[in-house]
Amino acid sequence: MKKKILTLAAVVTLPFILLVMYLLASMASYSNTYDEIVSNMTVANNYNLNFKEEMDESLYKLVVGYVTLDTIETDKSLKNPYTLIDELRSEFTRLTAITTESESKLWLESLLRNIDTLEKRVDDIVDSISAGGRYNENIEKLDNNIYILTELIQDDIQYYIYYQTRYMDKVTDTLQDQIRRFMVVCSVLIGVLIIVVAVSAVMIVSGIIQPISQLNQATEKIAQGDFNARAQADSEDEVAELAVSFNKMAGSMQSLIDKVKEDERKMRKADLRLLQEQIQPHFLYNTLDTIVWLIESNEPDEAVTMVVTLSDFFREILSKGKEFISIKEEEKHISSYLQIQEMRYRDILEYDIQLDQVIYKYQILKLTLQPVVENALYHGIKYKRAKGCIHIHGEKEGDIIRLTVRDDGVGMDEEELEQLRQQIEKPCQETEKGFGLANVNERIHMYFGPEYGMKIQSQKGKGTTVEIVIPAILEAPVEKTGNDTAKVAEGGNSVNFDANKKIKSNPKQQNANKIIEGGRPQQEETGV
């Protein structure tokens, strides 16, 4: 495109530049010729005014004996005749060499011959004066030779000036003719240039706009979902390069879209698997067994409490199919999960949830904390064979939210910790263990970026700390439809409970745990 624009500019400007250069050259030539003529005429005119008078006076005073050749230059009003002749010959010899006008040159040649004759006549007078006693003869030579020759020389100079003046007029006429021709040629050239520039501009602009138009059409097709559209550009310019890049981009977009769809399918599959992992048959069977034994042990309140808690747990897991929930909802979910587990593992489990209420309104990926808490319970607290505690903490730090799950369970040594760190950085489908943690970490990376995610610290015998960092993004407002309720039929009567009710431990729960421990054997569960 740059070459095309430069070509158009050259087509427009080059002829005018040539014309201007021609005009400037003509003007410079005229100026030089004019200055030369003026300079020559000035020299000639100076001698025309002074030479005859100075020569005649100097020779007359030599003849009458007023001065001699030796003393003539002492008189400031007189000049040596030979000096005058030499100066005149020198100047007009130079003018002859530089004069080109033929008539002027003829009169200069005549002038130089007369100067030679005058020099001879001056020699005769000087010789006669040297011989002495020839006053009348010398006066006659002045009248008949010197005065006539100086007058002829003066006439030659005047004719030279006359013809130089005519030559100056001729040069001026020539310049005016050149200017007139220049104006005519310039007018014709402007007309031709207008046509040439118009045609060239149409061709060049068309060569620029047409590929851009084709590229625009291809872009519109791409925007409409036709990823087979390609831009055609035969010009060898930036637009052609852009078209090539566009075609490469269009060619890769379909594969990228397919890859995104595949990644989304995998993520949906992973989410489904994670959901299935949370609704484990063992967990559900054991919880239902606990409820049955509570009822058989005549502990209906504890059984109802556990049913409501289980209902809350599954309600939060499903979350109406939403990918994101509020941190407050996530807290409800993890609270329900821990309440159920606390009723089952009363003798070994304590927990503490401390989430800053400031972060309640921010969103979090569903099932972010539950797999981490489950891992802490089954791989930390349970193997401790003594009472342990799970601490859950969360706060906002600038533009991020930091969530921490810490347990005082058995912990891990350096080798085990490093293996787990490597596992959670893999795609969750490729993990051999720690699927739940890898799933959480992968989803955080996918939705928020690689700068967010999970970090694990652990010490053998002291416990494990899992830190989750996510961006602080406010939850989109949703329309509330009222409180959810759960109904449990007991003795033909229905009892309503608020789904968001906080459940606290009570002495009867301890009895329920004793029943569980002393009743049917519970099925073994494994962490995520």
Side-chain angles (χ1 to χ4, degrees):
M1 292 175 66
K2 182 178 179 181
K3 291 180 180 178
K4 291 178 179 179
I5 294 173
L6 291 176
T7 300
L8 179 60
V11 169
V12 174
T13 59
L14 187 59
F16 286 103
I17 292 175
L18 294 176
L19 281 175
V20 170
M21 291 178 63
Y22 170 75
L23 181 61
L24 290 175
S26 300
M27 293 294 293
S29 176
Y30 168 78
S31 177
N32 292 334
T33 303
Y34 188 85
D35 291 342
E36 183 178 339
I37 293 172
V38 171
S39 177
N40 295 344
M41 290 175 63
T42 301
V43 173
N45 193 54
N46 183 51
Y47 282 101
N48 179 52
L49 296 175
N50 300 324
F51 178 75
K52 177 175 175 56
E53 181 179 349
E54 291 176 349
M55 178 62 74
D56 289 347
E57 184 179 3
S58 297
L59 286 175
Y60 175 76
K61 289 186 176 181
L62 280 174
V63 170
V64 298
Y66 183 77
V67 292
T68 63
L69 283 176
D70 295 332
T71 62
I72 190 171
E73 292 185 352
T74 58
D75 190 340
K76 294 182 180 181
S77 62
L78 301 177
K79 287 187 178 180
N80 192 312
Y82 291 108
T83 301
L84 289 172
I85 291 173
D86 290 339
E87 290 177 356
L88 184 64
R89 181 185 286 114
S90 175
E91 287 293 339
F92 281 89
T93 299
R94 183 183 62 81
L95 291 180
T96 302
I98 63 176
T99 299
T100 57
E101 201 275 323
S102 58
E103 291 293 335
S104 299
K105 200 160 188 175
L106 288 176
W107 287 104
L108 287 175
E109 292 172 353
S110 174
L111 184 144
L112 291 175
R113 290 194 296 270
N114 289 328
I115 289 175
D116 293 337
T117 304
L118 176 62
E119 187 176 19
K120 292 177 181 179
R121 300 290 83 81
V122 171
D123 290 340
D124 292 342
I125 292 176
V126 171
D127 291 340
S128 179
I129 292 172
S130 298
R134 300 180 180 178
Y135 174 78
N136 292 331
E137 182 181 347
N138 291 337
I139 290 297
E140 185 177 355
K141 289 180 180 179
L142 280 175
D143 292 336
N144 296 329
N145 295 322
I146 300 301
Y147 294 158
I148 293 175
L149 286 171
T150 56
E151 188 172 350
L152 289 174
I153 290 172
Q154 189 176 34
D155 291 341
D156 291 336
I157 293 174
Q158 289 176 352
Y159 278 111
Y160 171 77
I161 293 173
Y162 169 73
Y163 283 107
Q164 283 291 288
T165 303
R166 287 184 58 184
Y167 181 57
M168 182 183 294
D169 293 338
K170 183 178 179 181
V171 170
T172 302
D173 292 340
T174 302
L175 178 63
Q176 291 176 351
D177 290 341
Q178 290 177 344
I179 293 174
R180 283 193 293 270
R181 287 196 299 271
F182 173 80
M183 295 301 294
V184 172
V185 172
C186 188
S187 300
V188 174
L189 185 59
I190 288 174
V192 173
L193 281 176
I194 290 175
I195 298 174
V196 172
V197 169
V199 174
S200 301
V202 170
M203 294 176 62
I204 293 174
V205 172
S206 176
I208 295 174
I209 292 179
Q210 186 175 0
I212 295 177
S213 177
Q214 293 176 350
L215 184 59
N216 182 55
Q217 294 174 3
T219 304
E220 290 178 353
K221 291 181 180 179
I222 292 290
Q224 294 171 0
D226 181 9
F227 295 101
N228 293 320
R230 295 294 183 269
Q232 301 295 329
D234 299 328
S235 58
E236 297 180 357
D237 54 16
E238 292 83 355
V239 178
E241 294 178 0
L242 182 60
V244 171
S245 299
F246 174 84
N247 290 337
K248 291 180 180 178
M249 178 194 70
S252 61
M253 281 182 69
Q254 185 61 56
S255 60
L256 290 175
I257 290 175
D258 292 340
K259 185 177 183 300
V260 170
K261 289 181 178 179
E262 179 65 18
D263 289 344
E264 185 177 357
R265 186 186 64 80
K266 290 180 178 178
M267 184 52 64
R268 292 294 182 184
K269 186 176 180 181
D271 288 344
L272 179 60
R273 181 180 170 188
L274 179 63
L275 185 59
Q276 292 169 345
E277 289 284 341
Q278 308 317 305
I279 313 176
Q280 298 181 52
H282 297 317
F283 171 75
L284 182 58
Y285 296 158
N286 289 333
T287 303
L288 292 176
D289 279 344
T290 302
I291 295 171
V292 170
W293 280 105
L294 286 171
I295 294 172
E296 291 178 352
S297 300
N298 199 25
E299 298 287 346
D301 292 340
E302 285 76 3
V304 169
T305 299
M306 202 162 189
V307 169
V308 172
T309 305
L310 184 62
S311 174
D312 288 342
F313 174 74
F314 285 119
R315 182 182 292 108
E316 296 299 336
I317 283 181
L318 297 175
S319 302
K320 299 180 181 179
K322 294 188 295 183
E323 292 287 343
F324 290 90
I325 60 175
S326 68
I327 293 180
K328 186 175 182 180
E329 291 173 315
E330 180 75 359
E331 182 189 43
K332 291 178 183 178
H333 167 65
I334 200 64
S335 178
S336 298
Y337 175 78
L338 284 170
Q339 286 171 17
I340 294 172
Q341 296 291 22
E342 185 185 34
M343 294 175 72
R344 295 183 56 218
Y345 298 103
R346 180 69 179 179
D347 295 334
I348 64 171
L349 175 63
E350 290 182 351
Y351 68 90
D352 178 28
I353 302 176
Q354 295 182 357
L355 299 184
D356 190 345
Q357 293 186 4
V358 173
I359 68 175
Y360 279 176
K361 58 186 177 181
Y362 292 92
Q363 66 179 9
I364 188 172
L365 282 168
K366 179 177 64 178
L367 295 176
T368 295
L369 289 175
Q370 195 267 338
V372 181
V373 172
E374 185 175 346
N375 226 56
L377 173 60
Y378 289 123
H379 294 285
I381 302 298
K382 193 172 180 181
Y383 287 108
K384 185 177 180 181
R385 303 301 179 186
K387 178 165 287 191
C389 185
I390 298 175
H391 300 275
I392 303 171
H393 180 265
E395 62 182 355
K396 183 174 181 290
E397 299 178 2
D399 294 332
I400 66 169
I401 292 175
R402 192 181 305 277
L403 303 169
T404 305
V405 177
R406 185 177 71 257
D407 68 76
D408 56 0
V410 296
M412 292 175 281
D413 56 29
E414 285 297 327
E415 183 178 352
E416 292 174 324
L417 178 61
E418 185 59 31
Q419 289 179 355
L420 181 59
R421 285 172 176 170
Q422 293 175 2
Q423 290 294 319
I424 68 171
E425 292 299 329
K426 295 180 179 179
C428 61
Q429 302 294 336
E430 301 176 7
T431 55
E432 297 177 0
K433 62 178 181 178
F435 168 81
L437 300 182
N439 184 286
V440 171
N441 201 39
E442 183 177 2
R443 288 192 301 149
I444 292 175
H445 287 336
M446 178 170 290
Y447 283 105
F448 300 128
E451 63 271 26
Y452 303 100
M454 179 185 299
K455 294 181 181 179
I456 302 177
Q457 301 293 334
S458 184
Q459 283 185 296
K460 193 70 173 178
K462 292 186 178 181
T464 302
T465 300
V466 178
E467 182 181 272
I468 298 173
V469 178
I470 60 173
I473 302 174
L474 289 172
E475 183 189 26
V478 296
E479 184 179 356
K480 295 183 179 179
T481 58
N483 293 331
D484 296 327
T485 61
K487 297 182 179 180
V488 178
E490 181 181 11
N493 297 325
S494 62
V495 182
N496 294 338
F497 297 93
D498 187 350
N500 295 328
K501 177 182 178 182
K502 294 290 184 181
I503 302 176
K504 298 181 180 179
S505 300
N506 55 61
K508 292 183 178 180
Q509 289 176 337
Q510 187 173 3
N511 295 330
N513 281 291
K514 290 179 180 179
I515 294 173
I516 295 170
E517 297 296 332
R520 297 178 187 175
Q522 302 292 302
Q523 300 188 56
E524 185 66 22
E525 300 177 41
T526 58
V528 180

